[in-house]
Amino acid sequence: MADAGSWVESANDSSTGFPIQNLPYALFRTPDLKTPSLGVGIGELILDLRLCVGAGLLSSLPQETQEACRSDQMNALMALGQQHWSGLRARLTELLGAELDDWRTNRRLVGPLLTPISSAQLLVPAAIGDYTDFYASLDHALNVGRLFRPEQPLFANYKYVPIAYHGRSSSIVVSGTPIPRPSGQRMPPSATAPVFGPTEVLDYELEIGLFVGPGNRQGKPIPIAQAEQHIFGLCLVNDWSARDIQRWEYMPLGPFLSKSFATSISPWVVPMQALEPFRAPFSRPIEDPEPLPYLRLADTSCAALNVTLVAEFTSEAMRAQGSCPIVLTKSNLRHLYWTLPQLIAHHTSNGCNLLPGDLLATGTVSGPTPESRGCLLESTHGGRDALQLPTGEQRTYLDLGDEVVIRGWCEREGFPRISFGECRGRVL
């Protein structure tokens, strides 16, 4: 499968990111479509699954799978579980692959059902009922803690319990949606009373999100050994943050209005099967406490994922001058202190019911080096060290017209590159 090709020529380009080994899902609309349709990315094209069902190309699959592919949301497919996901993926690989003798027949039947991605409007992939943002990067927690609590940068609970807050699903937007600068209460330095107005300390956060598959009934926790069966796929996340509003409001209950104004996600959902070749060992410092039994992984040899994550930046002046983007962050998902299955197991440990299409984000994915700090709060040391831009401008936090683009991909010798697409947002 590592060297399999497709009759879709653009899928065989080494730079595509959407080879036949990826097949990421998206929800899209074209001028000809009255309602959104579920699609699969292949090279520079997107395959309409509703049209595939109508043409009888998925008739070998269970009726539930076919009905889910006809839906105008991804939730129905997410709810079906791994057996249905694997069956659909195998059939799509047959239809789009160049390995079978009848690939020319498949090209004749499937070709008319493909649309250029460039002419499609990509949407939020699912009806997201609930959104939870974790704090799963130890490096991020330490970097932030040293800014505000140098004597105790890490709270005593961090290495025992995955920390999270419940986010706001209604303000999740797809990549490319403009980001309004939020207003709120903030306490200026040396002031004796708060003021209300636009944030002066707007930040990005480099994250990965997982979409929940079947989920669990209320009162029935998901065991750690079964947690990965409930991960439909991964996307990119930028959890925009107003740090001055956050600093004033977070005590004693944590983030609220500083986070709920906008969260950007990528439109593409990369299935877990596409990420299998990029698993990596997971480890913690030997002196750290072992997780409690309900969070203990049976096998840590392949519990992490080697996903490169990059955040790029341009200002309005940079774009006007044609300057190339600068890289704010280059990190990797394997740096997380808590794995994705552990996040699910902990989230449901009290009986909380996760539903198909719920979104769980990792929190800022920072690493151990300065270039892997996943937000401006970390990289500018709380605004003390300004970034120098090619135009002569400086930035400690984001300004009007600034744009952040998060990208993610997997690479390994002997395997094609797997891309997550991009998560783009420009500050209004």
Side-chain angles (χ1 to χ4, degrees), residues 74-413:
M74 210 176 294
N75 301 62
L77 181 60
M78 293 173 170
L80 293 180
Q82 283 189 329
Q83 184 175 353
H84 290 266
W85 305 338
S86 297
L88 175 58
R89 182 177 175 83
R91 178 55 180 155
L92 292 173
T93 302
E94 289 178 353
L95 291 172
L96 296 167
E99 310 302 314
L100 300 180
D101 293 338
D102 60 349
W103 66 267
R104 290 180 178 83
T105 301
N106 286 338
R107 181 176 63 180
R108 176 175 56 82
L109 296 173
V110 178
L113 313 183
L114 292 163
T115 298
I117 294 173
S118 59
S119 65
Q121 179 189 4
L122 302 177
L123 309 171
V124 173
I128 302 172
D130 280 300
Y131 161 51
T132 301
D133 196 23
F134 280 86
Y135 198 52
S137 166
L138 176 62
D139 293 294
H140 174 62
L142 285 171
N143 290 336
V144 172
R146 291 181 183 121
L147 290 174
F148 301 108
R149 301 178 305 276
E151 72 290 344
Q152 186 190 9
L154 205 65
F155 290 126
N157 63 348
Y158 187 87
K159 294 184 177 182
Y160 289 95
V161 56
I163 304 299
Y165 76 92
H166 289 294
R168 182 75 184 177
S169 61
S170 65
S171 53
I172 294 175
V173 296
V174 75
S175 172
T177 304
I179 304 302
R181 178 185 290 266
S183 293
Q185 278 197 36
R186 48 190 173 82
M187 178 69 82
S190 72
T192 58
V195 299
F196 183 89
T199 178
E200 296 180 349
V201 189
L202 185 61
D203 204 354
Y204 75 97
E205 290 190 344
L206 177 81
E207 307 191 20
I208 279 282
L210 72 85
F211 276 102
V212 174
N216 59 304
R217 289 185 298 164
Q218 190 171 7
K220 298 289 184 180
I222 296 175
I224 185 72
Q226 299 174 16
E228 196 158 306
Q229 299 173 24
H230 295 267
I231 303 177
F232 176 75
L234 306 185
C235 68
L236 303 173
V237 175
N238 184 347
D239 191 38
W240 304 90
S241 302
R243 300 299 188 191
D244 44 2
I245 300 172
Q246 182 179 3
R247 190 181 304 121
W248 176 241
E249 74 177 4
Y250 87 98
M251 296 179 290
L253 295 180
F256 180 35
L257 300 182
S258 58
K259 298 276 193 174
S260 62
F261 60 95
T263 299
S264 299
I265 66 172
S266 58
W268 298 102
V269 183
V270 177
M272 294 299 291
Q273 281 185 273
L275 302 176
E276 282 297 322
F278 308 100
R279 290 186 176 273
F282 174 76
S283 63
R284 290 178 172 179
I286 192 170
E287 66 272 13
D288 282 7
E290 188 173 13
L292 296 179
Y294 79 99
L295 291 173
R296 201 166 296 163
L297 298 164
D299 181 8
T300 59
S301 64
C302 56
L305 289 170
N306 185 6
V307 181
T308 299
L309 297 169
V310 169
E312 299 175 347
F313 170 92
T314 58
S315 68
E316 193 169 3
M318 288 175 64
R319 294 190 297 275
Q321 294 185 12
S323 299
C324 293
I326 64 170
V327 175
L328 296 175
T329 306
K330 185 174 183 180
S331 189
N332 196 290
L333 193 62
R334 68 174 182 267
H335 294 318
L336 289 185
Y337 191 79
W338 296 101
T339 67
L340 303 181
Q342 286 173 320
L343 303 187
I344 288 180
H346 181 66
H347 202 314
T348 64
S349 62
N350 68 340
C352 173
N353 51 323
L354 297 179
L355 302 176
D358 282 358
L359 180 67
L360 275 59
T362 57
T364 305
V365 182
S366 296
T369 60
E371 63 269 17
S372 61
R373 293 167 180 160
C375 63
L376 289 172
L377 177 65
E378 295 177 68
S379 58
T380 68
H381 300 95
R384 292 195 298 268
D385 301 326
L387 300 177
Q388 305 298 319
L389 305 185
T391 53
E393 301 171 277
Q394 292 185 336
R395 287 291 187 277
T396 52
Y397 290 98
L398 300 175
D399 206 343
L400 300 180
D402 290 350
E403 184 172 71
V404 176
V405 182
I406 294 175
R407 306 182 195 277
W409 65 85
C410 299
E411 289 181 317
R412 177 184 168 189
E413 187 175 354

